[in-house]
Amino acid sequence: WEQPPMAPRGAWLLPTLVGACLSSLTFLRPAAPRGVRRLRTARAAEKDAVDAVLRTVSGMNSDDLERLVEELMPTLYRKKVALRDRLRPRRIILVRHGQSEGNKDSRAYEDIPDNQIQLTDLGLLQGEAAGAQIRTLVGNGTVRFFYSPYMRTRQTLQCVLKAFEGQQVEMCAEPRLREQDFGNFQDAEQMAKVYEERQKFGRFYYRFPNGEAGTDVFDRVSDFWSTLLRSMDTSPVENLVLVTHGLLMRIFCMVYFHWTVEEFEEVWDASNCEVW
């Protein structure tokens, strides 16, 4: 290359350096997220590419470097987004717990803490059926389960896992996926009046006595999303399954799809072991 007489110092280097830098930034593009090993390989390729760029530009002055960065940024951003998208799961599956003793008879909450309510025999069968449905959806793909630590959701997960015998899966208890707190022990007659009052007030903003409002659940589900996104980047899998509760499924969708409060109010809880 012959430098033009009036060109700024270093300007003649830019076409060559831009081409060299872009060609050296060859990021690994995994065909599908397979776990930490593939992610580490991708990061090693990124580091090698960055080192090559640094060696190339180490002799440039600040003005030339700034101009080079302006040229590179759009391509770097596109490559970063492409790699991030390849690490995202193929699907996120939501499933409500099976029929519980509290679903069958609301008086169960008068003597048993909400988190200790167990499944009925029908609920156990529903859990197994949901497991078969989920296994059909995911096939032999990698799976990570997040589940509410309540007894009924843990029992539902155990039933679901029967469909995954012989397949390695990941599991993580997540308290932020617990049921909305309705207020310790619950007198059936008093709660009937409370539910009637909630219907008039609005299901999203109504706060249960000694319990939570829908806004509180929204806040912790939004916080959980941050954890979920980090797990996608650091330990990617093809399928995420959330075993949780009816209201949590609606709030999760509200956060993900950016529903308005009015849209949320139009949606009702999933039935027991319904899969979304």
Side-chain angles (χ1 to χ4, degrees):
W1 289 85
E2 181 177 355
Q3 184 177 6
M6 299 301 295
R9 181 185 177 187
W12 64 280
L13 288 172
L14 290 178
T16 302
L17 287 175
V18 169
C21 293
L22 291 181
S23 64
S24 67
L25 292 176
T26 306
F27 291 90
L28 181 66
R29 299 178 60 198
R34 292 293 182 183
V36 175
R37 181 179 300 176
R38 186 178 294 275
L39 180 63
R40 288 174 178 172
T41 303
R43 286 180 171 172
E46 290 179 15
K47 185 179 183 302
D48 291 342
V50 171
D51 289 342
V53 172
L54 292 176
R55 288 193 298 270
T56 303
V57 302
S58 59
M60 298 178 63
N61 61 41
S62 58
D63 292 337
D64 293 337
L65 184 59
E66 183 176 352
R67 294 175 61 188
L68 180 60
V69 169
E70 290 177 355
E71 294 282 347
L72 288 175
M73 284 304 295
T75 299
L76 290 173
Y77 180 76
R78 288 195 298 270
K79 286 181 176 288
K80 177 182 177 181
V81 170
L83 179 62
R84 181 200 65 192
D85 290 345
R86 300 290 282 185
L87 295 175
R88 291 293 183 258
R90 296 182 60 187
R91 58 180 66 86
I92 300 176
I93 299 171
L94 311 179
V95 56
R96 187 188 176 193
H97 61 80
Q99 185 193 62
S100 70
E101 295 290 353
N103 295 142
K104 185 176 180 180
D105 184 357
S106 60
R107 290 174 297 180
Y109 295 106
E110 295 181 355
D111 304 310
I112 305 174
D114 192 5
N115 66 295
Q116 294 298 320
I117 295 289
Q118 300 191 32
L119 294 184
T120 63
D121 291 339
L122 175 60
L124 296 171
L125 293 175
Q126 290 172 332
E128 294 180 8
Q133 182 180 355
I134 294 171
R135 181 61 189 270
T136 300
L137 283 173
V138 306
N140 294 322
T142 53
V143 186
R144 179 178 298 124
F145 289 91
F146 289 94
Y147 61 95
S148 161
Y150 277 28
M151 178 64 72
R152 54 186 179 274
T153 42
R154 287 156 47 199
Q155 290 179 317
T156 301
L157 175 63
Q158 290 175 344
C159 293
V160 168
L161 290 177
K162 292 181 179 180
F164 289 85
E165 291 184 2
Q167 179 175 346
Q168 185 175 359
V169 300
E170 299 178 24
M171 295 176 288
C172 180
E174 180 47 70
R176 287 171 292 185
L177 294 180
R178 70 185 186 276
E179 177 63 287
Q180 180 178 6
D181 292 334
F182 297 114
N184 302 323
F185 295 109
Q186 303 161 30
D187 180 87
E189 293 184 4
Q190 291 182 359
M191 290 303 294
K193 297 178 181 179
V194 167
Y195 282 117
E196 183 179 348
E197 184 179 60
R198 181 181 71 156
Q199 201 61 31
K200 296 178 181 178
F201 191 89
R203 290 180 292 154
F204 185 69
Y205 293 111
Y206 183 81
R207 180 175 300 279
F208 284 86
N210 301 315
E212 287 183 307
T215 52
D216 299 317
V217 182
F218 182 94
D219 290 343
R220 56 180 160 94
V221 171
S222 298
D223 185 68
F224 170 68
W225 253 110
S226 299
T227 301
L228 205 60
L229 288 172
R230 286 195 299 271
S231 75
M232 293 177 189
D233 291 335
T234 58
S235 183
V237 293
E238 294 171 304
N239 303 277
L240 295 174
V241 181
L242 277 55
V243 185
T244 183
H245 306 265
L247 179 76
L248 262 292
M249 292 172 65
R250 289 190 289 133
I251 294 288
F252 186 92
C253 291
M254 184 182 186
V255 175
Y256 184 83
F257 294 111
H258 302 286
W259 288 349
T260 64
V261 174
E262 290 73 23
E263 289 170 328
F264 169 82
E265 298 281 0
E266 293 296 321
V267 180
W268 293 87
D269 284 350
S271 57
N272 292 122
C273 274
E274 184 174 341
V275 176
W276 287 5

